[in-house]
Amino acid sequence: AKADILDDDRNPAALSGAGAIAAYGDELYVTDCNDDSVKVYRADDGGYVRTIRGADVQDPNGIAIDGRNGLGYLTCSDDTVRCFKLTTGKTVARWGGNGAGRGKFWNPRGLAVVGSELFVVDMHNHRVQARAIRRSSARLFLSNSGALPHQVFHAVEMHSESGRVILYSRARGEF
């Protein structure tokens, strides 16, 4: 039977503010915004594996895993995206910051890795930005400016599936 993961101060595996989840191999990575951490569990039985935390993990919202490169990505409340090594949890890159320009965010949320790009839901700028994983260039993928073929209305979550990006818009309740 799968173990229940409950809010319990005595248990290091407990979640006090679960936010987002990503899977890689036989592990589940769950953001815990109240604990400023990412908790890792076995997918088969819910068993606790480890906690990833540090000064760079601040109120994590979204998470995506790039297993091909052994990297994870987090969106954080300071309007940045953090890239960390799956094996050590060490932050290896950080970008963003508050703003409306390319590569800047206002409340980044969902993340998805598709091929060699990382897609980031930029919730209050009403857009999705794409960033090449091996380069620092960012591009607008979807925006509410009318410059692109699709509009984004209060997007909150995103996942990748079979090379496609699936985006959920809270205001319209649709994909």
Side-chain angles (χ1 to χ4, degrees):
K2 292 191 185 277
D4 288 331
I5 302 165
L6 305 173
D7 183 2
D8 180 350
D9 291 336
R10 299 164 298 182
N11 180 357
L15 292 166
S16 62
I21 189 169
Y24 174 62
D26 61 352
E27 294 182 329
L28 300 174
Y29 293 75
V30 182
T31 63
D32 191 335
C33 60
N34 291 341
D35 190 39
D36 292 332
S37 67
V38 176
K39 308 278 177 79
V40 184
Y41 304 93
R42 289 187 305 273
D44 61 351
D45 64 1
Y48 173 74
V49 177
R50 69 185 177 283
T51 297
I52 299 169
R53 78 172 73 242
D56 282 342
V57 181
Q58 300 171 0
D59 192 17
N61 297 311
I63 188 167
I65 302 296
D66 175 9
R68 187 176 48 174
N69 292 307
L71 300 172
Y73 297 92
L74 295 171
T75 55
C76 295
S77 63
D78 64 352
D79 298 322
T80 61
V81 174
R82 310 290 204 308
C83 174
F84 65 94
K85 290 186 176 264
L86 293 177
T87 54
T88 65
K90 181 180 182 207
T91 298
V92 295
R94 175 182 167 182
W95 66 90
N98 186 265
R102 286 188 189 193
K104 298 289 184 179
F105 306 103
W106 184 16
N107 202 358
R109 289 293 181 175
L111 296 162
V113 174
V114 179
S116 63
E117 288 189 299
L118 174 70
F119 293 84
V120 182
V121 170
D122 189 1
M123 187 166 76
H124 288 126
N125 280 325
H126 307 289
R127 64 187 182 183
V128 175
Q129 293 192 63
R131 178 186 171 106
I133 289 175
R134 299 232 180 240
R135 295 186 315 242
S136 61
S137 60
R139 68 181 173 93
L140 291 178
F141 176 68
L142 298 172
S143 173
N144 71 342
S145 68
L148 299 171
H150 305 286
Q151 293 186 331
V152 178
F153 299 96
H154 205 72
V156 293
E157 190 58 62
M158 178 170 43
H159 298 281
S160 63
E161 180 180 301
S162 302
R164 296 179 300 165
V165 173
I166 300 169
L167 179 69
Y168 178 74
S169 175
R170 182 169 58 187
R172 293 197 172 196
E174 60 189 25
F175 286 94

Short mmCIF file of all heavy atoms in Angstrom, two decimals, residues 139-153:
data_model
loop_
_atom_site.label_atom_id
_atom_site.label_comp_id
_atom_site.label_asym_id
_atom_site.label_seq_id
_atom_site.Cartn_x
_atom_site.Cartn_y
_atom_site.Cartn_z
N ARG A 139 12.34 33.51 -25.54
CA ARG A 139 11.42 33.99 -26.56
C ARG A 139 10.01 33.90 -26.01
O ARG A 139 9.73 33.10 -25.12
CB ARG A 139 11.54 33.19 -27.85
CG ARG A 139 11.07 31.75 -27.74
CD ARG A 139 11.25 31.00 -29.05
NE ARG A 139 10.95 29.59 -28.91
CZ ARG A 139 9.76 29.04 -29.14
NH1 ARG A 139 8.75 29.78 -29.52
NH2 ARG A 139 9.58 27.74 -28.99
N LEU A 140 9.14 34.74 -26.54
CA LEU A 140 7.74 34.64 -26.16
C LEU A 140 7.13 33.49 -26.94
O LEU A 140 7.35 33.36 -28.14
CB LEU A 140 7.00 35.94 -26.48
CG LEU A 140 7.38 37.13 -25.63
CD1 LEU A 140 6.59 38.36 -26.09
CD2 LEU A 140 7.12 36.86 -24.16
N PHE A 141 6.38 32.67 -26.25
CA PHE A 141 5.72 31.54 -26.88
C PHE A 141 4.25 31.85 -27.07
O PHE A 141 3.69 31.69 -28.13
CB PHE A 141 5.93 30.29 -26.02
CG PHE A 141 5.21 29.08 -26.52
CD1 PHE A 141 5.58 28.47 -27.70
CD2 PHE A 141 4.17 28.54 -25.80
CE1 PHE A 141 4.92 27.35 -28.17
CE2 PHE A 141 3.50 27.42 -26.24
CZ PHE A 141 3.88 26.82 -27.43
N LEU A 142 3.61 32.31 -26.01
CA LEU A 142 2.21 32.74 -26.04
C LEU A 142 2.11 34.06 -25.28
O LEU A 142 2.80 34.24 -24.28
CB LEU A 142 1.30 31.72 -25.37
CG LEU A 142 1.21 30.33 -25.97
CD1 LEU A 142 0.43 29.42 -25.05
CD2 LEU A 142 0.56 30.39 -27.33
N SER A 143 1.25 34.94 -25.71
CA SER A 143 1.13 36.24 -25.05
C SER A 143 -0.27 36.80 -25.23
O SER A 143 -0.97 36.44 -26.17
CB SER A 143 2.15 37.21 -25.63
OG SER A 143 1.97 38.50 -25.14
N ASN A 144 -0.65 37.73 -24.37
CA ASN A 144 -1.96 38.38 -24.52
C ASN A 144 -1.83 39.67 -25.30
O ASN A 144 -2.78 40.43 -25.41
CB ASN A 144 -2.61 38.64 -23.16
CG ASN A 144 -1.90 39.73 -22.38
OD1 ASN A 144 -0.76 40.07 -22.67
ND2 ASN A 144 -2.57 40.26 -21.39
N SER A 145 -0.65 39.96 -25.86
CA SER A 145 -0.43 41.23 -26.56
C SER A 145 -1.08 41.26 -27.94
O SER A 145 -1.15 42.31 -28.55
CB SER A 145 1.07 41.47 -26.71
OG SER A 145 1.61 40.52 -27.62
N GLY A 146 -1.52 40.12 -28.43
CA GLY A 146 -2.09 40.07 -29.76
C GLY A 146 -1.05 39.88 -30.85
O GLY A 146 -1.37 39.72 -32.00
N ALA A 147 0.23 39.92 -30.48
CA ALA A 147 1.30 39.76 -31.46
C ALA A 147 1.47 38.30 -31.87
O ALA A 147 2.07 38.02 -32.90
CB ALA A 147 2.61 40.29 -30.89
N LEU A 148 0.98 37.40 -31.07
CA LEU A 148 1.10 35.98 -31.35
C LEU A 148 -0.27 35.40 -31.65
O LEU A 148 -1.29 35.99 -31.28
CB LEU A 148 1.74 35.27 -30.16
CG LEU A 148 3.16 35.76 -29.82
CD1 LEU A 148 3.62 35.17 -28.51
CD2 LEU A 148 4.13 35.39 -30.92
N PRO A 149 -0.33 34.23 -32.28
CA PRO A 149 -1.64 33.69 -32.69
C PRO A 149 -2.55 33.25 -31.56
O PRO A 149 -3.73 33.06 -31.76
CB PRO A 149 -1.27 32.50 -33.58
CG PRO A 149 0.11 32.14 -33.19
CD PRO A 149 0.77 33.41 -32.73
N HIS A 150 -2.03 33.09 -30.35
CA HIS A 150 -2.85 32.63 -29.24
C HIS A 150 -2.76 33.64 -28.11
O HIS A 150 -1.77 34.32 -27.95
CB HIS A 150 -2.37 31.27 -28.74
CG HIS A 150 -2.32 30.25 -29.82
ND1 HIS A 150 -3.45 29.67 -30.34
CD2 HIS A 150 -1.28 29.72 -30.49
CE1 HIS A 150 -3.10 28.82 -31.28
NE2 HIS A 150 -1.79 28.83 -31.39
N GLN A 151 -3.79 33.71 -27.30
CA GLN A 151 -3.77 34.60 -26.15
C GLN A 151 -3.75 33.79 -24.87
O GLN A 151 -4.24 32.67 -24.84
CB GLN A 151 -4.99 35.52 -26.15
CG GLN A 151 -4.96 36.50 -27.30
CD GLN A 151 -6.10 37.48 -27.19
OE1 GLN A 151 -7.15 37.18 -26.65
NE2 GLN A 151 -5.89 38.67 -27.70
N VAL A 152 -3.17 34.35 -23.82
CA VAL A 152 -3.06 33.68 -22.54
C VAL A 152 -3.84 34.50 -21.52
O VAL A 152 -3.58 35.67 -21.34
CB VAL A 152 -1.59 33.55 -22.10
CG1 VAL A 152 -1.50 32.90 -20.74
CG2 VAL A 152 -0.81 32.76 -23.12
N PHE A 153 -4.81 33.88 -20.86
CA PHE A 153 -5.61 34.54 -19.84
C PHE A 153 -5.39 33.85 -18.51
O PHE A 153 -5.91 32.77 -18.27
CB PHE A 153 -7.11 34.48 -20.19
CG PHE A 153 -7.44 35.16 -21.48
CD1 PHE A 153 -7.54 34.42 -22.64
CD2 PHE A 153 -7.62 36.53 -21.53
CE1 PHE A 153 -7.85 35.04 -23.84
CE2 PHE A 153 -7.93 37.16 -22.72
CZ PHE A 153 -8.04 36.40 -23.88
#
